[in-house]
Amino acid sequence: MIPLLRKSDRPSRQRRLTLQILRYNPATPAIAPYLQDFAIDESDGMTLFIALNEIRASQDSSLQFDFVCRAGICGSCAMLVDGRPALACRTLTRDCGPRIVLAPLPFFELIGDLSVNTGKWMRGTAERLQTWIAQAQPVDLDALETRMEPALAEAIYELDRCVECGCCIAACGTAQMREDFVGAVGLNKIARFRLDPRDTRSDADFFELIGDDNGVFGCMSLLGCHDFCPKQLPLQTQIAFLRRKMAVEGWR
């Protein structure tokens, strides 16, 4: 009878990974962008976030990348993984090959290496699209919270799960050609506030914000945003719905 091996007795299948990282610091433009290889031993359950932290701690402290929550909530660690936008903290190295190519998200202002300034663009887009609840009357801070049907509250929450990571913009063909395009993240926000009964704006008001080629009519329906959203938001459905509503409004 062959005894069963305990987990600790099983032979290790640890891989030696190579992370090929695009390096560039805009503060030193004389040094052209280049790819740098870092070798690291893979561990059980390793994510790209863990691998990058090990590299920065033990091999190169100058490596720049962003993180906050480490749980797929803040969206800070978005980057291109083998050419595809993804969150480093949600990407397991076991799902990648032994050589992993990392680059910063395109479209956004580069801070250095894998770090980009998504916050600057997100804030500008929020101000441009007025992504807040618009009410005709002054807000009464002492009033009870407005009642809402659970199904409606759930629908609003579903769209509110966006973490503004920028993956949808990085995967968007229109955004690469038109820098003023609001992208799926902007259109998703409009869809969210359009659902909210506390917002008093009409479709005519929303048409003024997104009823052009930089808004909902600029989308080419390639659906890169939908395919690469790490929160799996229903972006395809929301963009199609908004396009129909804005088309009707535009004919009036």
Side-chain angles (χ1 to χ4, degrees):
M1 181 177 179
I2 301 176
L4 295 176
L5 290 177
R6 294 173 300 176
K7 185 176 181 180
S8 58
D9 296 330
R10 293 171 186 168
S12 173
R13 296 183 179 180
Q14 186 182 66
R15 294 189 301 173
R16 185 70 169 171
L17 302 176
T18 299
L19 271 61
Q20 190 173 63
I21 301 175
L22 183 63
R23 307 295 305 272
Y24 180 64
N25 189 342
T28 56
I31 302 177
Y34 63 97
L35 289 168
Q36 183 174 3
D37 287 356
F38 295 95
I40 186 172
D41 291 326
E42 185 177 35
S43 59
D44 291 339
M46 174 177 275
T47 64
L48 285 178
F49 163 78
I50 294 173
L52 287 169
N53 270 280
E54 287 193 16
I55 290 172
R56 185 155 66 180
S58 62
Q59 299 187 43
D60 190 340
S61 61
S62 70
L63 179 62
Q64 297 183 71
F65 64 95
D66 297 316
F67 69 93
V68 177
C69 74
R70 300 174 292 177
I73 297 174
C74 71
S76 299
C77 64
M79 60 186 65
L80 291 184
V81 181
D82 291 332
R84 298 166 177 261
L87 297 181
C89 69
R90 297 289 296 273
T91 304
L92 293 167
T93 57
R94 70 186 181 204
D95 295 332
C96 305
R99 175 176 290 273
I100 307 170
V101 181
L102 304 179
L105 290 184
F107 186 84
F108 300 101
E109 177 185 343
L110 179 66
I111 295 174
D113 298 335
L114 303 175
S115 176
V116 296
N117 194 346
T118 54
K120 179 180 178 180
W121 188 88
M122 294 294 175
R123 177 169 180 170
T125 300
E127 293 174 349
R128 172 182 166 192
L129 297 181
Q130 302 171 28
T131 55
W132 52 79
I133 294 175
Q135 295 182 319
Q137 302 298 324
V139 177
D140 183 359
L141 298 180
D142 296 322
L144 293 175
E145 185 176 355
T146 304
R147 292 181 180 273
M148 189 180 298
E149 290 297 323
L152 178 57
E154 182 66 25
I156 293 173
Y157 169 74
E158 174 68 8
L159 302 185
D160 244 348
R161 292 193 302 108
C162 173
V163 295
E164 298 186 350
C165 61
C167 286
C168 62
I169 299 297
C172 177
T174 302
Q176 309 312 313
M177 296 185 297
R178 185 178 291 121
E179 63 179 12
D180 291 330
F181 183 56
V182 300
V185 61
L187 297 175
N188 179 73
K189 288 180 179 295
I190 291 294
R192 176 256 181 270
F193 287 103
R194 188 182 180 279
L195 277 179
D196 200 314
R198 298 165 295 182
D199 197 308
T200 58
R201 286 175 289 186
S202 66
D203 279 350
D205 296 320
F206 290 124
F207 183 85
E208 293 299 317
L209 296 172
I210 61 168
D212 57 17
D213 286 344
N214 289 325
V216 72
F217 298 121
C219 173
M220 297 187 294
S221 300
L222 300 177
L223 302 181
C225 58
H226 184 89
D227 293 339
F228 292 102
C229 175
K231 307 302 286 186
Q232 298 182 323
L233 297 178
L235 299 176
Q236 175 184 4
T237 302
Q238 294 306 316
I239 292 173
F241 178 76
L242 280 178
R243 179 178 286 164
R244 290 196 299 271
K245 292 298 182 181
M246 294 301 103
V248 170
E249 191 61 40
W251 279 107
R252 291 183 179 178

Coordinates of all heavy atoms in Angstrom, one line a residue, residues 38 49 52 54 93 120 167:
F38 N 13.5 41.0 -14.6 CA 13.7 40.7 -13.2 C 13.3 39.2 -13.0 O 12.2 38.8 -13.4 CB 12.8 41.6 -12.3 CG 13.2 43.0 -12.3 CD1 12.5 43.9 -13.2 CD2 14.2 43.5 -11.5 CE1 12.8 45.3 -13.2 CE2 14.5 44.9 -11.5 CZ 13.9 45.7 -12.3
F49 N 1.0 41.7 -7.9 CA 1.3 42.7 -6.9 C 2.4 42.2 -5.9 O 3.3 43.0 -5.6 CB 0.0 43.0 -6.1 CG 0.2 43.7 -4.8 CD1 0.5 45.0 -4.7 CD2 0.1 43.0 -3.6 CE1 0.7 45.7 -3.5 CE2 0.4 43.6 -2.4 CZ 0.6 44.9 -2.3
L52 N 5.8 42.2 -7.7 CA 6.4 43.5 -7.9 C 6.9 44.0 -6.5 O 7.9 44.7 -6.5 CB 5.3 44.4 -8.4 CG 5.0 44.2 -9.9 CD1 3.7 45.0 -10.3 CD2 6.1 44.6 -10.8
E54 N 8.1 42.2 -4.1 CA 9.3 41.5 -3.8 C 10.5 42.1 -4.6 O 11.6 42.2 -4.1 CB 9.1 40.0 -4.1 CG 8.2 39.3 -3.0 CD 8.3 37.8 -3.2 OE1 9.3 37.3 -3.8 OE2 7.5 37.1 -2.6
T93 N 0.0 34.9 -10.8 CA 1.1 34.6 -11.8 C 1.0 33.2 -12.4 O 1.4 32.9 -13.5 CB 2.5 34.6 -11.0 OG1 2.5 33.8 -9.9 CG2 2.8 36.1 -10.6
K120 N -6.1 62.2 -12.1 CA -6.2 63.5 -12.8 C -7.3 63.4 -13.9 O -8.1 64.3 -14.0 CB -4.9 63.9 -13.3 CG -4.9 65.2 -14.1 CD -3.5 65.5 -14.6 CE -3.4 66.8 -15.4 NZ -2.1 67.1 -15.9
C167 N -8.9 50.5 -16.7 CA -8.7 49.4 -17.7 C -9.6 49.6 -18.9 O -9.3 49.2 -20.0 CB -9.1 48.1 -17.0 SG -7.8 47.5 -15.8

